[in-house]
């Protein structure tokens, strides 16, 4: 009898907690689906622009996940560290050696492209070449690497395992280029060493040293504004989300619980402080704005949703303007008047 009492109470209590439990589980799953990044690929980008036979530039950048780690300006002989931990555990000598390798590569790359234009009649200036290479390390000792090249914005070449491979859609002259590249055993071995060994080693160091920066959680700030719609009788509602880290974020215009599928997301843009900015736009008929809200989900919010209700921005802005004018009229003008009177009085006293 006594024992069944508490148990009888327990069942309803468990039932009462069930929705909370479900919400918690939901929040966990939701949080994860927001893209809690587990792996951080290391990507080195080379951007080379050849305006004509004598004018060209090559710039380099490196990113670990969403964080920029290195920068190599065309005008500079040295690779700059963007983060205090960008050198990893490489010694000064090791880093110098690596840098010299890239210096030699940069000047021979420029020369080779200039030679290519002379040799291949169908290749003309201006030329844009982009190269993306790097690696990603996984738990244990596993890693993967990649090496892709684009010419005039089209993907044409990759390095796979031990050799270069042109993509089938590449222009015909790439067959000769690929053959020449693959004939250079020294270059192939160097690339394999960089991709198979140097890159994963650096990335393991960077993941360790940069952990606080990589896992930093910065909460988003959000605000609404009104834009100009291109369609007559429509309004454009803007939801600005800024200052968040990491990069994955979910922003949606909602009516009640319903996603407004016509929400347009801009690109996620970098802020100067390493956080991110995103704008989500909704174009609606002027009479349809009631009940709309912008929802923001981000890993830093730990499963909570930030909701900003649209409270006709236009009107409230006008309201604020009126209030400011009223303050000026009620407070400032009389005091200005008072000062004026005081001044006149003082002058009057001086005149005496
Ligand atoms: C990981 O790989 C490196 C060489 O890349 C090797 O020296 C090391 O012993 C390996 N570690 C493990 C745990 O397999
Ligand atoms: C580098 O890794 C590739 C596989 O990605 C392998 O085929 C190649 O033999 C490796 N080369 C060296 C020098 O370790």
């Amino acid at each position: 009898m006594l024992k069944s009492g508490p148990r009888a109470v327990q069942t309803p209590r468990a039932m009462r907690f069930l929705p909370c439990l479900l919400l918690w589980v939901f929040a966990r799953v939701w949080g994860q689906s927001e893209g809690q990044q587990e792996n951080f690929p290391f990507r080195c980008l080379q951007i080379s622009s050849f305006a004509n036979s004598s004018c060209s530039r090559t710039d380099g950048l490196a990113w670990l996940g969403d964080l920029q780690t290195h920068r190599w300006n065309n005008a500079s002989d040295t690779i700059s560290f963007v983060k205090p931990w960008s050198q990893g555990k490489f010694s000064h000598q090791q880093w110098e050696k690596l840098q010299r390798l890239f210096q030699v590569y940069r000047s021979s790359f420029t020369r080779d492209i200039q030679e290519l234009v002379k040799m291949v009649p169908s290749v003309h200036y201006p030329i844009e070449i982009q190269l993306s290479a790097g690696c990603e390390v996984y738990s244990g000792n596993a890693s993967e690497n990649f090496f892709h090249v684009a010419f005039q914005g089209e993907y044409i070449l990759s390095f796979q395992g031990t050799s270069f491979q042109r993509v089938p859609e590449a222009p015909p002259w790439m067959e000769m280029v690929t053959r020449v590249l693959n004939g250079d055993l020294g270059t192939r071995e160097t690339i394999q060493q960089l991709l198979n060994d140097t890159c994963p080693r650096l990335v393991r160091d960077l993941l360790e040293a940069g952990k606080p920066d990589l896992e930093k959680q910065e909460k988003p700030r959000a605000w609404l504004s009104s834009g100009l719609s291109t369609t007559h009788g429509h309004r454009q509602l803007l939801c600005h989300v800024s200052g968040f880290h990491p990069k994955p974020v979910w922003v949606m215009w909602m009516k009640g619980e319903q996603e407004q599928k016509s929400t347009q997301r801009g690109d996620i843009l970098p802020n100067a402080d390493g956080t991110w900015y995103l704008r989500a736009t909704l174009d609606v008929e002027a009479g349809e704005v009631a009940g709309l809200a912008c929802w923001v989900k981000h890993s830093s919010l730990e499963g909570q949703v930030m909701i900003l209700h649209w409270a006709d921005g236009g009107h409230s802005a006008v309201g604020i303007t009126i209030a400011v004018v009223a303050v000026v009229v009620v407070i400032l003008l009389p005091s200005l008047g008072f000062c004026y009177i005081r001044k006149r009085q003082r002058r009057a006293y001086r005149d005496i």
Side-chain angles (χ1 to χ4, degrees), residues 110-128:
T110 307
R111 209 181 40 236
D112 288 350
I113 297 300
Q114 287 162 346
E115 287 301 313
L116 178 78
V117 182
K118 286 184 205 156
M119 277 166 54
V120 183
S122 60
V123 175
H124 305 285
Y125 294 110
I127 291 170
E128 280 292 327

Side-chain angles (χ1 to χ4, degrees), residues 187-234:
T187 300
R188 275 165 53 195
E189 278 175 353
T190 305
I191 293 177
Q192 284 175 63
Q193 202 193 342
L194 287 173
L195 290 177
N196 292 13
D197 177 53
T198 315
C199 185
R201 207 147 40 90
L202 178 64
V203 171
R204 280 194 194 95
D205 293 349
L206 295 183
L207 286 174
E208 198 180 309
K211 200 175 159 77
D213 280 348
L214 289 164
E215 294 183 352
K216 180 181 66 170
Q217 292 284 333
E218 297 278 0
K219 285 196 170 80
R221 287 174 287 113
W223 66 97
L224 307 178
S225 74
S226 179
L228 287 174
S229 176
T230 46
T231 319
H232 180 72
H234 276 233

Side-chain angles (χ1 to χ4, degrees), residues 224 226 235 237 286-287 289-292 309-319:
L224 307 178
S226 179
R235 294 186 59 181
L237 313 187
V289 296
L292 283 167
H309 293 279
W310 181 264
D312 222 318
H315 286 177
S316 58
V318 170

Side-chain angles (χ1 to χ4, degrees), residues 179-294:
R179 207 169 45 240
V180 171
L181 285 171
N182 282 333
D184 183 350
L185 198 64
T187 300
R188 275 165 53 195
E189 278 175 353
T190 305
I191 293 177
Q192 284 175 63
Q193 202 193 342
L194 287 173
L195 290 177
N196 292 13
D197 177 53
T198 315
C199 185
R201 207 147 40 90
L202 178 64
V203 171
R204 280 194 194 95
D205 293 349
L206 295 183
L207 286 174
E208 198 180 309
K211 200 175 159 77
D213 280 348
L214 289 164
E215 294 183 352
K216 180 181 66 170
Q217 292 284 333
E218 297 278 0
K219 285 196 170 80
R221 287 174 287 113
W223 66 97
L224 307 178
S225 74
S226 179
L228 287 174
S229 176
T230 46
T231 319
H232 180 72
H234 276 233
R235 294 186 59 181
Q236 197 181 49
L237 313 187
L238 306 169
C239 180
H240 309 260
V241 184
S242 189
F244 56 91
H245 188 276
K247 196 175 179 182
V249 69
W250 185 94
V251 181
M252 184 63 80
W253 278 99
M254 306 280 282
K255 191 157 225 168
E257 300 276 301
Q258 193 142 27
E259 291 184 9
Q260 301 299 293
K261 297 289 186 196
S262 53
T263 299
Q264 291 200 330
R265 264 173 74 120
D267 291 328
I268 300 185
L269 305 173
N271 284 323
D273 63 357
T275 64
W276 300 93
Y277 168 88
L278 173 68
R279 198 172 78 169
T281 312
L282 185 70
D283 206 65
V284 284
E285 278 183 42
E288 298 283 308
V289 296
L292 283 167
C294 176

Side-chain angles (χ1 to χ4, degrees), residues 3 5 15 21 43 60-61 87 90 122 135 153 168 173 184 190 233 246 248 315 339 347 352:
K3 267 186 181 170
M15 290 294 281
L21 188 70
R43 286 170 295 154
L61 304 160
Q87 192 172 329
F90 281 48
S122 60
C135 63
W173 52 264
D184 183 350
T190 305
H315 286 177
C339 290
R347 203 180 294 154
I352 294 171

Side-chain angles (χ1 to χ4, degrees), residues 2 12 35 40 45 61 81 119 157 161 167 170 227 265 289 291 300 315:
L2 271 174
F40 299 95
L45 306 177
L61 304 160
F81 298 138
M119 277 166 54
L157 183 74
V167 302
R265 264 173 74 120
V289 296
S300 65
H315 286 177

